[in-house]
Amino acid sequence: MWCERRTRRPLWPRPRPTLIPARGHVPRPPGWITSSDMVTPGPLARHPRDLDLLLAALTTPSPDENNPWSVTLPTAQREIGQLRVAVWADDASCSVDRNTADALATVERTLTSAGASVRHTTGPVGFADSLRLFEQLLYATTTAATDDDAGAAELAAARDLHTDDASPRAAFLRHRTQTHRVWLRANEERLRLRQTWHRFFADARHDVLITPAAPTAAIPAGSRSLMVDGVERSFFDQTGWANLTSHVGLPSLVMPAARSADGLPIGVQLVGPAYSERSLLVMAEHLAPLLGGTAGGVIGSWSG
């Protein structure tokens, strides 16, 4: 996610799945008609206004799909001082370092000073359970292009696992070889999780949820682990916060909130209800100057 070569205060939104056609997008091989249910392509730009133009141009069905639908994304209805903001600042399943916690606190103070209503939340879903489901669905979709020999080898390796093996390798093999029935139940769990998120925004009347983008500032390109307040953690924890909404299809946006002592960006993630892409872009554009920076940055596609 964040890496050392991205030091120019990146801004990185992820639109809702299906808004932008994903045909031909990795991880499917060239020539495949289907795409992954975990892929969300998005445009690249340096400013929210450019991203808004690109979003308008790209929000259309693929010509090959021959669908008649069109989507007009709503524009922001509230000024930043009128927003109802929830802050999920930390979680034991993916704890953040001191600098990231300070950055979240700065964002909270900035929004409060601007007149926004800000309150803390422990999150609408269980972090660990949501991440487990994300990994299960992700590993399942990556098997589509596996050749027969590799698939057979994985099935054999999964059968040889001990029932009490809870290692990352065991989880990987079980998810890669799960039956269709197991996947259907996981997909049902995903839809129920999506309903929980919907109630969080609709019933509790939250306009946006702010979380860390990652446990730390940007890490060096090529790193395979990260340090959180002196404790070495798995590299995959770097994407834990972003993975909260990947599989449930909510729009989100990562923007810089501060810099580390080494000058590397520390990001926060803005998450909104379905079809709130433009509201998140407007919020980022208004919030960035209040944090002492600019809204320019990079938007990238995200594939889980």
Side-chain angles (χ1 to χ4, degrees):
M1 198 169 111
W2 295 99
C3 61
E4 192 172 28
R5 64 180 176 271
R6 292 181 178 172
T7 58
R8 295 180 59 195
R9 303 189 66 81
L11 182 96
W12 174 32
R14 175 178 61 211
R16 187 180 189 276
T18 73
L19 281 182
I20 296 174
R23 181 172 296 189
H25 193 286
V26 174
R28 296 296 187 258
W32 276 52
I33 295 176
T34 60
S35 182
S36 168
D37 62 343
M38 299 289 283
V39 164
T40 308
L44 294 170
R46 299 298 304 178
H47 196 280
R49 287 191 293 273
D50 297 327
L51 295 169
D52 188 69
L53 290 172
L54 286 165
L55 195 61
L58 294 170
T59 301
T60 180
S62 168
D64 292 335
E65 295 171 2
N66 195 31
N67 288 328
W69 63 261
S70 64
V71 174
T72 301
L73 293 172
T75 56
Q77 299 295 316
R78 296 174 180 270
E79 298 292 334
I80 194 168
Q82 299 174 324
L83 291 175
R84 299 160 300 189
V85 180
V87 177
W88 188 357
D90 204 356
D91 194 278
S93 295
C94 194
S95 58
V96 303
D97 66 12
R98 187 184 305 273
N99 289 332
T100 301
D102 290 344
L104 264 291
T106 297
V107 171
E108 181 180 349
R109 288 193 299 269
T110 301
L111 287 168
T112 301
S113 297
S117 172
V118 182
R119 77 173 189 86
H120 282 265
T121 178
T122 55
V125 299
F127 196 112
D129 287 341
S130 179
L131 185 59
R132 171 195 52 76
L133 180 63
F134 166 82
E135 290 178 349
Q136 180 178 353
L137 294 167
L138 177 66
Y139 292 148
T141 193
T142 58
T143 63
T146 304
D147 63 56
D148 291 344
D149 289 341
E154 288 183 345
L155 282 169
R159 285 194 294 266
D160 290 339
L161 291 171
H162 291 290
T163 55
D164 59 349
D165 189 342
S167 67
R169 174 180 176 273
F172 173 81
L173 285 171
R174 290 185 182 115
H175 294 332
R176 293 267 298 179
T177 59
Q178 63 188 284
T179 65
H180 189 212
R181 175 178 178 273
V182 171
W183 182 89
L184 288 171
R185 288 176 176 265
N187 192 50
E188 174 71 15
E189 185 179 354
R190 166 171 38 191
L191 296 182
R192 292 183 182 277
L193 202 65
R194 185 180 298 169
Q195 287 183 328
T196 300
W197 278 101
H198 174 73
R199 289 193 295 270
F200 174 78
F201 287 110
D203 298 348
R205 301 185 181 278
H206 295 119
D207 296 309
V208 64
L209 170 68
I210 299 181
T211 77
T216 68
I219 60 177
S223 297
R224 301 312 299 168
S225 64
L226 66 153
M227 300 297 293
V228 179
D229 289 338
V231 177
E232 185 174 8
R233 294 251 297 273
S234 167
F235 169 80
F236 295 102
D237 281 359
Q238 188 73 355
T239 59
W241 287 95
N243 293 342
L244 279 171
T245 59
S246 293
H247 51 320
V248 294
L250 291 179
S252 62
L253 179 150
V254 171
M255 65 175 294
R259 285 188 179 273
S260 69
D262 298 326
L264 297 174
I266 299 172
V268 295
Q269 177 177 227
L270 315 182
V271 181
Y275 302 107
S276 65
E277 284 82 357
R278 286 208 168 97
S279 296
L280 297 181
L281 288 173
V282 169
M283 181 177 180
E285 184 174 358
H286 291 168
L287 180 57
L290 299 178
L291 294 172
T294 63
V298 175
I299 283 193
S301 62
W302 178 253
S303 56

